[in-house]
Amino acid sequence: MNWQTLAPELIFEILSKFLPGLTLHVTEPGYFPWYLGHICSSWRVVFKSSPQFWSAFVIDWDDAVRCYFERALLLTEMCIQQSQTHPLTFKFKFEGIPMNDFESSLCHNLLKALMAQSTRWLNAYFCLPPSEASLLYAVKTQLPVLRAFRLTYPEFHNQDLQQFGDLFEDAPHVRRVRIVDYPA
């Protein structure tokens, strides 16, 4: 049998065996099975056009090699685009390490790109400093499919808790919310 002559449906079934737990680490993309799209042109078309492959990703800004920050933004935007309308599951970790203005701007743009897709959030996990976490309040009333939300950040104060009190009142499918602080 020639691998190039398989029907797209069959190729998708083969590729879907990789779906459980498949997550693109946009700051360390070397661990993603890019080879699945390199088998031949028909496999590449199915791989690139299957939103399930692109709807789960991790952005770990703290572990990112600084020279790859721009690439992380491009890969995140690619995931958002390739996932089409599929619900998104992601982790965004930024603990507020000192950065120059350019890197800080890229991080902020990443967060804004994710927030612009809040109507597609299925599971959203954030680790942010208070200054960035407060931006999340802008997604209130824009969480129609959200099931799980976690926000972790250092130096949590009671007044910070109050701002998230009604964030999920218009999120009908929320099952788990966790807002956690930890010592800096």
Side-chain angles (χ1 to χ4, degrees):
M1 174 177 277
N2 186 347
W3 290 101
Q4 295 179 350
T5 60
L6 291 176
E9 297 82 10
L10 187 55
I11 295 171
F12 177 79
E13 285 300 316
I14 293 169
L15 293 176
S16 68
K17 300 302 178 196
F18 289 90
L19 280 176
L22 181 65
T23 303
L24 172 57
H25 291 260
V26 299
T27 50
E28 298 179 59
Y31 298 111
F32 192 68
W34 297 105
Y35 57 84
L36 295 173
H38 294 201
I39 295 171
C40 67
S41 61
S42 57
W43 282 60
R44 185 170 28 264
V45 167
V46 173
F47 183 66
K48 287 182 74 177
S49 64
S50 300
Q52 298 89 330
F53 284 109
W54 310 104
S55 62
F57 49 93
V58 172
I59 305 163
D60 191 343
W61 210 252
D62 297 330
D63 286 343
V65 178
R66 291 187 185 269
C67 63
Y68 296 139
F69 281 176
E70 265 187 282
R71 183 175 68 178
L73 178 59
L74 292 172
L75 281 173
T76 301
E77 290 171 344
M78 182 190 79
C79 286
I80 289 170
Q81 179 184 10
Q82 293 295 118
S83 63
Q84 300 168 10
T85 60
H86 202 74
L88 300 173
T89 293
F90 63 88
K91 294 178 185 177
F92 184 92
K93 182 179 178 191
F94 168 62
E95 293 184 23
I97 56 172
M99 296 187 280
N100 64 40
D101 288 342
F102 177 70
E103 294 164 350
S104 181
S105 173
L106 284 175
C107 180
H108 194 75
N109 288 343
L110 267 168
L111 187 56
K112 288 180 91 166
L114 291 173
M115 290 171 55
Q117 300 299 318
S118 65
T119 58
R120 296 174 49 205
W121 292 2
L122 183 64
N123 302 296
Y125 307 104
F126 294 94
C127 182
L128 298 168
S131 60
E132 297 292 321
S134 63
L135 296 174
L136 293 175
Y137 200 73
V139 302
K140 181 183 174 183
T141 72
Q142 300 174 31
L143 302 167
V145 298
L146 183 68
R147 300 261 168 132
F149 179 89
R150 182 178 65 225
L151 173 61
T152 307
Y153 66 80
E155 300 174 21
F156 206 104
H157 303 288
N158 286 337
Q159 66 269 21
D160 296 327
L161 244 184
Q162 293 171 357
Q163 75 173 334
F164 294 104
D166 63 348
L167 181 63
F168 307 102
E169 71 182 21
D170 293 323
H173 300 290
V174 168
R175 300 292 179 258
R176 290 181 305 247
V177 172
R178 188 165 182 201
I179 300 175
V180 182
D181 68 322
Y182 61 92

